[in-house]
C-alpha cells in the first residue's frame, strides 16, 4: 500500500474493519491515518462518497472530509472551494432512509464547517434551504446541518477569528426568520414521521436559541416553543422527545435578560410569559414523581434551576419588594425534596451562586429574604444524607453516596452563614433530642453539625457542652457510623475545646481509646486528634510523652498512611511549643521512628517496592517530611536550629536512597521534597550539606533527567546565593544542569513531553536572577538560556509557560533605570540583551499568543511585553511589534480577513501607549480573538 488510489484505500479500509489479523489491522490503521493527512485524501474521499460501496468506506470518507475541512482547509486553493461545496451538497442530497446516522452527522458537520470557513459563500443558509428543502429525503440532513452550524461557530479547531465570527452571526441573524419558518413548516408536514421531525426540529431550534439568533418577539409565540411546553405537560411524551423539549426550554431561558439593568417592556412581557409557562410544569413534575419516572423528574429539575439562573439578578434586586421570580426557588426546593438525591444534586450550583452573591453583597435584609429557603434546603439535605436503616458498617469511600455527602458537606459550609451556623447546629440538636430518633437520623444530624461546628463561637455554652458530653458517654452498642461521625464532630469542635480546657483530658482519653479500636473508628479518631493538636498547641504540651508513644505505635493503628502523616503533623505542631532542651530529643526520636525502617529498606537486597506499603521508601520519607516541615520553633539566627543535627546525621541515608532508587521518579520526587523542607527549615545552617548534595544531584540528573533535582537546585540558590562564597559553586551547578536539560528539550517534541523540566529549569534560572543577577548576566550561560526560553514561549502548559515568562520578567526588571546599586551594574547587560534579542522575543510572544497559548496565559505575556518596553523604550519597541504583526497571516484558510490594518495599528498603538500590564493584557486578549 505505497501509493494512494481509490482501490488501495478500499483495501486498507477492508483490512481495518473486516480483517482478523491484529498486526495487519494496526498497519492498515496507520496507513489510513497517513492517507487522511495527505493532499490526495480530498479527491479520493469525494470519490468514495460517490461510489457508496459499503458502510465502512462511506463512514471513513465522510469522517475524512469533515477532518480535512476542519484541520487542513488551507491546503485547498480558493478556486476549488465552490466545487467542494457543490459536491458536498450533492452528497447531502443523496442521503436516504438507509444512510447511517453517523455518516449523516459527519457530512452535516463537513457542510457546516465549510459554510463557516468559506468567505465567498455569502448566503449558505438560504442556499441550503432553496436546494434541499423541497426534497423529502433531504429534510433530515438539512435539519442536522442547521443544528450543527451554530454549534460549530466557536469550534477551537476552525479558528474562525472574531471578524469572521461576527460576520457569521450577522448571516445567521439575517437567515433566522427563514429558518424559523422552515422549522414550523416541518412540524406541519404530514408526509414525515411526526416523532422524528419533532425531535429534529426541537434540537435545531435549541441550537439557534443558544446563539440568540431570534428576536424576542419571535421566540415565545411560535409553534416550536408551544410544542416544547405542550410535550413537557403531557405525561405520555416519550423520553427522547421529553429530553429535547427540555433542552429547548433551557435554551429559551438562556435568552432571558440576566443583566442587572432593567429589561425593555417587550422583553419584560416575554419574560413573564416564559416564567408563567414554566410554573405550569409543576403539576407534570408531581406526576413524574408519582410515576417514578426519574429521567423526566431530572428534566423538570433542570428547567426549574435554569429558570432561577435566568432570573438570578431579579431575585436579588430588592429585598423590600421581592420579584415574582422568587417562586422559582420554591420549584427548585420541590426538586431538592425529591426522594432521589441525584435530583437534588442538580440544583447545587444554584445554591453556591446564591450564597456567593449574598456574601459579596453583605446586606442583612437581602440575606434574611432567603433564610427560609436555606432552612428548607438544609432540612432536605439532612434527609438526603441519611444512610439506609439496614446498613451495617460505615459508608464505603468512593461510592456515589459517599461522593454526594462530600458535596453536601461543601454546600452546607457555603450556605450556613445565611441561616447562621449556631442556628443550624441547634436545629440538628433538637432532632437528636426528639424521642424515638433512629440511628440514621442521629448520624445525619451529627454529619450536618460537623459541617458547621468550626464556625460556632468558642464561648458557646448552651448546646455544645451537652453534645460533647453525650458523645463522650456514647455506648459501644451505638451504631458504628454514628460513633464515627460523632468522633469527626469532636475534631471539628477543636476551637471550642481549646476554649474549654476542662474537657480536654476527657476528649483525649476518648480519642485515644477510639484510635486503638479495630472496628473502623481509628481513622476518625486520628483526624480528630490532628485537629485538636492544631488548635490546642500550648495546652497539649503536657501530653507530649503520650503523643510520642502514639508516634511510636503508629503502625499498630488501623489507619492509612495519609491519616498517619496528618497525625504526625499534629504532633509536630506540639513539638514546636516545647522548650529547646526537650524539643531536640523528642524530635530526633520521632524522626528516628521513620528513618530506621527506611534504612532497613536501603540495606536490604532484593524485594520489590509495593506502592503505599511499608516496603515503599515513600511511605517513610513522607512521614519524616511531615515532621520536619511542621516542627518550626522560633529560633534566633545565631542559635543552632534543632533540626540541623538531625538533617546532617540523616544525610548519609538520604544520599543512599537517592543512589539506590535513582531511576524511580516518584521516590526521587519525595526525597527531594524532604530535602527541600529540611533546607527551608534550617536555611543557611544547612551549609554542610550543600556541596555533597550538589555533587550527587548533578551526577544523577545527567543520567536520569529528573526535574525535581532542578527544583532542589532552585531552593539552594534561594538560600545560599546571597553568600558570595557560594555563588561560584552554584553557577557551576547551573552549567552542569544546562547540557542535559538542553539535550532533553532539543529532542523531537522535547518541550511538549517534558513540561516539568521546562518549569523547574526556568524557575531555577529565575532564582539566580533574583539572588545573584550580575554574576549570571555577565556569564556565558545567559545567552543560551535566553534562546531556550525564546523557543519555550510557545509551550501551552500552564506552569511551564508561567516559569518561562517569569524568567523573562525577572531578567528585564534589572534593565530598568533606577537608583538601586545592583541595577546600575546589571542594566547595561540587560539592555544589550534586550536590544539584541528583543525582536525575536516579541515575534515569538505574539506568535505564541495567537496560535498556541490559552487566553488565561496572556497576562504573563503582557507583563513580559510591558517590562521589555520599559527597557528598550517605544522607539525600539515599535519596529519589534511591526515586524511581529507583519508575520501574522492576513487571511484565514477560507479567504476571510483575519485582522484589518486598522486593527493591527490599534493593537500596536495600545501596547506602545499602555502604562500598565492590565492594559496590554486586555489588548492582547482582544487581538488574539481575531485569529481564534
Amino acid at each position: 500500500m505505497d501509493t494512494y488510489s481509490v482501490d488501495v484505500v478500499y483495501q486498507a479500509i477492508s483490512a481495518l474493519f473486516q480483517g482478523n489479523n491484529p498486526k495487519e489491522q494496526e498497519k492498515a490503521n496507520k496507513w489510513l491515518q497517513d492517507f487522511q493527512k495527505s493532499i490526495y485524501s480530498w479527491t479520493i474521499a469525494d470519490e468514495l462518497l460517490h461510489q457508496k460501496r459499503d458502510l465502512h468506506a462511506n463512514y471513513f470518507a465522510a469522517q475524512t472530509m469533515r477532518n480535512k475541512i476542519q484541520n487542513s482547509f488551507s491546503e485547498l486553493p480558493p478556486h476549488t472551494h465552490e466545487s467542494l461545496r457543490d459536491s458536498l451538497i450533492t452528497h447531502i442530497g443523496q442521503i436516504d432512509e438507509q444512510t447511517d446516522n453517523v455518516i449523516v452527522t459527519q457530512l452535516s458537520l463537513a457542510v457546516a464547517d465549510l459554510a463557516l470557513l468559506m468567505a465567498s459563500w455569502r448566503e449558505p443558509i438560504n442556499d441550503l434551504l432553496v436546494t434541499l428543502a423541497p426534497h423529502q429525503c433531504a429534510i433530515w440532513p438539512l435539519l442536522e446541518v442547521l443544528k450543527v452550524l451554530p454549534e460549530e461557530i466557536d469550534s477551537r479547531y476552525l479558528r474562525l477569528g472574531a471578524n469572521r465570527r461576527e460576520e457569521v452571526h450577522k448571516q445567521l441573524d439575517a437567515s433566522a426568520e427563514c429558518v424559523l419558518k422552515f422549522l414550523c413548516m416541518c412540524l406541519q408536514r404530514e408526509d414525515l414521521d411526526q416523532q422524528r421531525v419533532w425531535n429534529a426540529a426541537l434540537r435545531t431550534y435549541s441550537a439557534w436559541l443558544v446563539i440568540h439568533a431570534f428576536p424576542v418577539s419571535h421566540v415565545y409565540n411560535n409553534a416550536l416553543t408551544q410544542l416544547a411546553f405542550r410535550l413537557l405537560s403531557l405525561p405520555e411524551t416519550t423520553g427522547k422527545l421529553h429530553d429535547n423539549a427540555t433542552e429547548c426550554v433551557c435554551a429559551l431561558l438562556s435568552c432571558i435578560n440576566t443583566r442587572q439593568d432593567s429589561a425593555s417592556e417587550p422583553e419584560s412581557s416575554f419574560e413573564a410569559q416564559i416564567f408563567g409557562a414554566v410554573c405550569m410544569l409543576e403539576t407534570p413534575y408531581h406526576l413524574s414523581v408519582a410515576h417514578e419516572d426519574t429521567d423526566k423528574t431530572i428534566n423538570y429539575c433542570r428547567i426549574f434551576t435554569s429558570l432561577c439562573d435566568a432570573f438570578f439578578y431579579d431575585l436579588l434586586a430588592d429585598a423590600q419588594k421581592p420579584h415574582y421570580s422568587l417562586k422559582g426557588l420554591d420549584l427548585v426546593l420541590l426538586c431538592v425534596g425529591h426522594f432521589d438525591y441525584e435530583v437534588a444534586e442538580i440544583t447545587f450550583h444554584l445554591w453556591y451562586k446564591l450564597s456567593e452573591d449574598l456574601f459579596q453583597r453583605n446586606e442583612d435584609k437581602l440575606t434574611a429574604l432567603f433564610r427560609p429557603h436555606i432552612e428548607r434546603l438544609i432540612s432536605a439535605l439532612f434527609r438526603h444524607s441519611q444512610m439506609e436503616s439496614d446498613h451495617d458498617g460505615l459508608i464505603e469511600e468512593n461510592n456515589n453516596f459517599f461522593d454526594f455527602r462530600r458535596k453536601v458537606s461543601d454546600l452546607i459550609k457555603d450556605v450556613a452563614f445565611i441561616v447562621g451556623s449556631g442556628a443550624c447546629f441547634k436545629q440538628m440538636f433538637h432532632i437528636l433530642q426528639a424521642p424515638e430518633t433512629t440511628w440514621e437520623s442521629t448520624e445525619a444530624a451529627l454529619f450536618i453539625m460537623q459541617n458547621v461546628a468550626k464556625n460556632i463561637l468558642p464561648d458557646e455554652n448552651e448546646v455544645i457542652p451537652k453534645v460533647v458530653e453525650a458523645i463522650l458517654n456514647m455506648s459501644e452498642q451505638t451504631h458504628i457510623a454514628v460513633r464515627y461521625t460523632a468522633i469527626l464532630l469532636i475534631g471539628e469542635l477543636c476551637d471550642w475545646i481549646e476554649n474549654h480546657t476542662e474537657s480536654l483530658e476527657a476528649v483525649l482519653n476518648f480519642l485515644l481509646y477510639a484510635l486503638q479500636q479495630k472496628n473502623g473508628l481509628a481513622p476518625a479518631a486520628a483526624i480528630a486528634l490532628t485537629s485538636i493538636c492544631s488548635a490546642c498547641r500550648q495546652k497539649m504540651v503536657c501530653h507530649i510523652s503520650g503523643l510520642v508513644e502514639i508516634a511510636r505505635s503508629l503502625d499498630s493503628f488501623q489507619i492509612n498512611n495519609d491519616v498517619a502523616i496528618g497525625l504526625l503533623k499534629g504532633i509536630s505542631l506540639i513539638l514546636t511549643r516545647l522548650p529547646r532542651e526537650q524539643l531536640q530529643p523528642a524530635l530526633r526520636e520521632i524522626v528516628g521512628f521513620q528513618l530506621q525502617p527506611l534504612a532497613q529498606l536501603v540495606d536490604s537486597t532484593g524485594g520489590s517496592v509495593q506502592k503505599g506499603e511499608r516496603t515503599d521508601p515513600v511511605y517513610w520519607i513522607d512521614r519524616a517530611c511531615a515532621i520536619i516541615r511542621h516542627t518550626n520553633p522560633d529560633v534566633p539566627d545565631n542559635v543552632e536550629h534543632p533540626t540541623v543535627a538531625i538533617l546532617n546525621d540523616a544525610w548519609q541515608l538520604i544520599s543512599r536512597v537517592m543512589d539506590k532508587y535513582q531511576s524511580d521518579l516518584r521516590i526521587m520526587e519525595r526525597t527531594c521534597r524532604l530535602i527541600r523542607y529540611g533546607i527551608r527549615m534550617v536555611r543557611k545552617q544547612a551549609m554542610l550539606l550543600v556541596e555533597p548534595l550538589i555533587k550527587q544531584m548533578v551526577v544523577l540528573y545527567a543520567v536520569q533527567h529528573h526535574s525535581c533535582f532542578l527544583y532542589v537546585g532552585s531552593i539552594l540558590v534561594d538560600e545560599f546565593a546571597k553568600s558570595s562564597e557560594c555563588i561560584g559553586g552554584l553557577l557551576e551547578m547551573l552549567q552542569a544542569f544546562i547540557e542535559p536539560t538542553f539535550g532533553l528539550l532539543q529532542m523531537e517534541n522535547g518541550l511538549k513531553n517534558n513540561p516539568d523540566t521546562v518549569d523547574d529549569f526556568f524557575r531555577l534560572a529565575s532564582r539566580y536572577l533574583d539572588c545573584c543577577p550580575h554574576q549570571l548576566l555577565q556569564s556565558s550561560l545567559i545567552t543560551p538560556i535566553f534562546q531556550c526560553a525564546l523557543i519555550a514561549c510557545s509551550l501551552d502548559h500552564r506552569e511551564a509557560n508561567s516559569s518561562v515568562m517569569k524568567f523573562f520578567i525577572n531578567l528585564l526588571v534589572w534593565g530598568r533605570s533606577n537608583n538601586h546599586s545592583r541595577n546600575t551594574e546589571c542594566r547595561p547587560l540587560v539592555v544589550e540583551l534586550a536590544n539584541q534579542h528583543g525582536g525575536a522575543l516579541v515575534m515569538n510572544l505574539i506568535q505564541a499568543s495567537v496560535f498556541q497559548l490559552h487566553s488565561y496565559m496572556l497576562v504573563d505575556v503582557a507583563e513580559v511585553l510591558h517590562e521589555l518596553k520599559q527597557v528598550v523604550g517605544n522607539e525600539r519597541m515599535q519596529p519589534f511589534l511591526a515586524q511581529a504583526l507583519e508575520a501574522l497571516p492576513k487571511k484565514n484558510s477560507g479567504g476571510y480577513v483575519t485582522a484589518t490594518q486598522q486593527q493591527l495599528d490599534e493593537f500596536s498603538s495600545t501596547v506602545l501607549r499602555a502604562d500598565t500590564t492590565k492594559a496590554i493584557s486586555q489588548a492582547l486578549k482582544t487581538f488574539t480573538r481575531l485569529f481564534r
Side-chain angles (χ1 to χ4, degrees), residues 10 57 74 84 131 167 189 217 230 432 472 542 558 568 579 610 664 687 789 796 832 844 874 877 897:
Y10 271 127
S74 56
L84 173 63
T131 309
E167 182 73 17
R189 289 184 61 157
S217 57
R230 190 167 80 251
L432 293 179
L472 297 183
C542 60
Q558 256 187 5
L568 287 171
Q610 290 182 297
D664 190 315
M687 182 69 81
D796 65 341
E832 183 186 351
N844 288 19
N874 277 359
M877 193 69 176
V897 174

Side-chain angles (χ1 to χ4, degrees), residues 674-693:
L674 172 62
I675 295 167
R676 165 197 170 187
Y677 283 118
I679 291 171
R680 284 297 195 202
M681 188 58 66
V682 305
R683 307 186 75 85
K684 290 184 173 56
Q685 295 183 23
M687 182 69 81
L688 288 176
L689 298 181
V690 175
E691 190 178 342
L693 178 59

Side-chain angles (χ1 to χ4, degrees), residues 46 49-50 52 58 84-99 103-108 110-111 121 127-145:
D46 188 47
L49 287 168
H50 277 297
K52 293 188 178 63
N58 271 12
L84 173 63
R85 176 195 65 194
D86 296 343
S87 183
L88 279 174
I89 291 175
T90 301
H91 294 314
I92 286 279
Q94 291 172 350
I95 287 171
D96 55 29
E97 295 288 335
Q98 279 71 48
T99 308
I103 295 169
V104 175
T105 302
Q106 292 296 318
L107 285 176
S108 300
V111 172
W121 193 359
D127 291 348
L128 289 166
L129 286 170
V130 168
T131 309
L132 299 173
H135 308 288
Q136 182 186 339
C137 282
I139 293 289
W140 308 114
L142 175 56
L143 284 167
E144 186 68 18
V145 172

Side-chain angles (χ1 to χ4, degrees), residues 12-43:
I13 293 169
S14 177
L16 176 63
F17 290 106
Q18 291 161 11
N20 49 20
N21 184 329
K23 285 189 177 179
E24 287 299 315
Q25 286 177 307
E26 189 179 332
K27 186 177 173 184
N29 187 44
K30 174 73 172 66
W31 188 90
L32 287 169
Q33 286 176 353
D34 292 338
F35 161 73
Q36 284 184 317
K37 294 172 188 172
S38 76
I39 192 76
Y40 307 104
S41 58
W42 289 101
T43 50

Side-chain angles (χ1 to χ4, degrees), residues 697 708-718 730 733 737 764 767-768:
M697 286 199 308
C708 51
F709 295 131
L710 299 175
Y711 187 81
V712 172
S714 70
I715 302 296
L716 293 175
V717 172
D718 205 32
L730 291 170
M733 176 184 76
F737 280 150
L764 172 63
R767 289 276 165 80
Y768 279 98

